[in-house]
Amino acid sequence: MSDTDRDGRALELALAVVGLVAVLYSLLIAARPLAGVTVVAWLFGAYLAWRSFGLAVRFVVAVERIADAMEARADE
């Protein structure tokens, strides 16, 4: 397993724990379920943004690799 896989799993686990704590706090202590749902929605949005950024980086790397291969082929 690569370091990025471990980092991704750690991020997912951390977000899940924070979301669970926020929901439990909002239900059991503050008695405001919507507050917990709001926190979880923000965490989910941040996670999706992080994953989208990673996808964009992978896409750029792939396009650069294709461009390098086409340039090498043109030089031959």
Side-chain angles (χ1 to χ4, degrees), residues 7-8 11 15 44-55:
D7 291 343
L11 176 64
L15 288 176
F44 184 68
Y47 175 73
L48 283 181
W50 177 261
R51 295 288 292 205
S52 297
F53 178 73
L55 181 64

Side-chain angles (χ1 to χ4, degrees), residues 6 17 22 30 42 73:
R6 279 188 232 137
V17 168
W42 277 99
R73 180 180 275 186

